[in-house]
Amino acid sequence: MLRLLSFALFVATWWIASLVIGDAKLPAPPAVLSVLIAEARSGALFVNLGATLARVALAFTLAMAIGSAIGYLMGRVSLANRLGDPWLILLLNLPALVVIVLAYIWAGLTEVAAIAAIAINKLPTAVVTLREGARALDPALDEMATAFALPRGRAFRHVILPQLAPYIAAAARSGLSLVWKIVLVAEYLGRPNGVGFEIGVAFQLFDIPLLLAYSLSFAGVVLVIETLMVQPFETRLTRWRLRAA
Amino acid sequence: MQLEVNITGKSFESAAGKRHDVLDNVTFTLNAGEVGVLFGPSGCGKSTLLKILAGLDGNYRGHVTRSPGMRLGMVFQEPRLLPWRTVEENVRLAAPDVDDGTLAALFEVLELSAHCNHFPGELSLGLARRVALARAFAIEPDFLILDEPLASLDNALAGRLRDQVATLVASRKMMTLLVTHDLDDAVRLGDRLFFLSPRPARILHVETIVTPRATRSEPEIDEIKRQLSQLDLANM
Ligand SMILES: Nc1ncnc2c1ncn2[C@@H]1O[C@H](COP(=O)(O)OP(=O)(O)O)[C@@H](O)[C@H]1O
Ligand SMILES: [Mg+2]
């Protein structure tokens, strides 16, 4: 209910603003909606959204998997931490644009380059978060697992992983919003499809209704995924906390 | 099953690099079915000793020999339960092979049956202690280590729990090592009592109680306690 209200408020503000500024710079909602419908009819909207989502999914999964593994290792083994720390600081401070441009120069304007560049941008935050998580592991529970001779796999799954879960969730949440932002830049600079590419085309043609149609549908998809997938996942992870006293 | 302890020293290094001696000479052996009791002042190194015997800390001088293939059950000074698993799931993680009947009987004795599906965060300390006991007994250990399982419980509960532990220990023929501050617990539960010095711990006196645990009478227990309280431990 509140969500609907806030959506209505958004559309109303937009409409009034468009009346004030003028159609040329800020088209009114119906104009954008008709472009959106046309793009959906031709199928282009779904192809582009799909391409962007596929890149997000791949880069996100890759960065989470590799970043978590590296972060866990760095949190547990001090040698790994000392070896990895300078690289981590470098990656954390490297602007996304530099990574993307270099990836395209070195690996060509390819899908692999785009996905790798997005993943590399997200990687260091996952590493830092999981390293914190690994450092916060309770040694008392490790001792318990050793005393009861739990096999490594069981101990990792049932003793270690649940302790890391909140950190993994935090890394996923911040990582996903980072990926949403970067994926469009990567597409804009070197991909022949996707929301970022379409926004680039609209920018060159100065086609503002098209630009808004893609921006808003992308924002809509992000909102849906965040509320339908990320938030329930976080609740599930911490279910036992809710039942605890 | 046998445990041979021959420790000649154990120290921790402080952050400033200063050596902090925790154990001095500690030498004894323990046999199958025997209940050893470690009795000593707080901070003297009892938990440290237990961790060495459990194989959790290999950084000491001397050697400890455990019979090969010995299955260990341990109750730490704190319950050390996994907060994200229910009581039953906590026990089953450590003892995946326990059959339903055995587990139900164990929960019955420890008065845990009503709490199987509770999470540790919902339990009082006394209950959590009992879950830790259930976990250690469920794996049917050859060697059971109990680190102050009865401490900081109110008297009625500690008494009941002591009886439960005694029942469980008596019902299986396992080697047990128990830490306690309480002379009464020591005399009721133990076969051999090791009196430890303040830190760094060494064994001051060993008292062997010949009468089997089950047949000790109240007057006998009182008499042993009286004799032991007259030991001049400070000058040994
Ligand atoms: N991991 C550790 N690092 C440094 N000092 C420790 C550590 N564990 C225990 N100690 C010290 O060793 C001494 C004995 O501790 P502990 O074995 O827990 O005593 P007890 O169980 O007899 O009360 C204490 O002074 C304690 O501060
Ligand atoms: Mg202790």
Side-chain angles (χ1 to χ4, degrees), chain A residues 22 34 43 51 69 77 79 86 110 143 149 175 195 223 242-244:
Chain A
S34 72
V77 184
L79 180 69
T110 60
E143 281 186 348
V195 176
L223 210 63
L242 302 175
R243 293 201 42 187

Coordinates of all heavy atoms in Angstrom, one line a residue, chain A residues 22 34 43 51 69 77 79 86 110 143 149 175 195 223 242-244:
Chain A
G22 N 9.6 21.1 -19.7 CA 9.3 21.0 -21.1 C 9.5 19.6 -21.6 O 10.5 18.9 -21.2
S34 N 4.8 4.7 -23.9 CA 4.5 4.2 -25.3 C 5.8 3.7 -25.9 O 5.8 2.6 -26.6 CB 3.9 5.3 -26.2 OG 4.9 6.3 -26.5
G43 N 10.4 -6.9 -28.8 CA 11.2 -7.9 -28.1 C 12.5 -7.4 -27.7 O 13.2 -8.0 -26.9
A51 N 20.2 -9.8 -21.6 CA 21.6 -9.8 -21.7 C 22.3 -9.2 -20.5 O 23.3 -9.7 -20.0 CB 22.0 -9.0 -23.0
A69 N 36.2 -17.2 -1.3 CA 37.3 -18.2 -1.1 C 38.6 -17.5 -0.7 O 39.3 -17.9 0.3 CB 37.5 -19.1 -2.3
V77 N 44.6 -17.7 7.2 CA 46.1 -18.0 7.1 C 46.8 -16.6 7.0 O 46.6 -15.9 6.0 CB 46.4 -18.8 5.8 CG1 47.8 -19.2 5.7 CG2 45.5 -20.1 5.8
L79 N 49.8 -15.9 6.3 CA 50.7 -15.7 5.2 C 49.9 -15.3 3.9 O 50.3 -14.4 3.2 CB 51.4 -17.0 4.9 CG 52.4 -17.0 3.7 CD1 53.6 -16.1 4.0 CD2 52.8 -18.4 3.3
P86 N 48.4 -6.3 -0.3 CA 48.7 -5.2 -1.2 C 47.8 -5.2 -2.5 O 47.4 -4.2 -2.9 CB 50.2 -5.5 -1.6 CG 50.7 -6.4 -0.6 CD 49.6 -7.1 -0.1
T110 N 35.1 -8.3 -25.9 CA 34.4 -9.6 -25.8 C 33.6 -9.7 -24.5 O 33.7 -8.9 -23.6 CB 35.5 -10.7 -25.7 OG1 36.3 -10.5 -24.6 CG2 36.4 -10.7 -27.0
E143 N 37.3 -25.8 18.4 CA 37.8 -26.8 19.3 C 36.8 -27.9 19.5 O 37.1 -29.1 19.6 CB 38.2 -26.2 20.6 CG 39.5 -25.5 20.6 CD 39.9 -24.9 22.0 OE1 39.0 -24.9 22.9 OE2 41.0 -24.5 22.2
A149 N 35.9 -34.9 16.7 CA 36.4 -35.5 15.4 C 35.4 -35.3 14.3 O 35.2 -36.3 13.5 CB 36.7 -37.0 15.7
G175 N 27.6 -6.2 -2.9 CA 28.2 -6.6 -4.2 C 27.2 -6.5 -5.3 O 27.5 -6.0 -6.4
V195 N 21.2 -3.2 -21.6 CA 20.6 -1.9 -21.2 C 21.6 -0.8 -21.3 O 21.3 0.3 -21.8 CB 20.1 -2.0 -19.7 CG1 19.6 -0.6 -19.3 CG2 19.0 -3.0 -19.6
L223 N 14.7 -3.6 -8.5 CA 13.8 -3.5 -7.3 C 13.2 -4.8 -7.1 O 13.1 -5.3 -5.9 CB 12.8 -2.4 -7.6 CG 12.3 -1.7 -6.4 CD1 13.4 -0.9 -5.7 CD2 11.2 -0.7 -6.8
L242 N 16.0 -15.2 15.1 CA 14.6 -14.8 15.4 C 14.0 -15.6 16.5 O 13.3 -15.2 17.3 CB 13.7 -14.7 14.2 CG 14.3 -13.9 13.0 CD1 13.4 -14.0 11.8 CD2 14.4 -12.4 13.5
R243 N 14.3 -16.9 16.4 CA 13.7 -17.9 17.4 C 14.4 -17.8 18.7 O 13.9 -18.3 19.7 CB 13.7 -19.3 16.8 CG 12.7 -19.4 15.6 CD 12.3 -20.8 15.3 NE 12.0 -21.5 16.5 CZ 11.7 -22.8 16.5 NH1 11.7 -23.5 15.3 NH2 11.4 -23.5 17.5
A244 N 15.7 -17.4 18.7 CA 16.4 -17.4 19.9 C 15.9 -16.3 20.8 O 15.2 -15.4 20.4 CB 17.9 -17.0 19.6

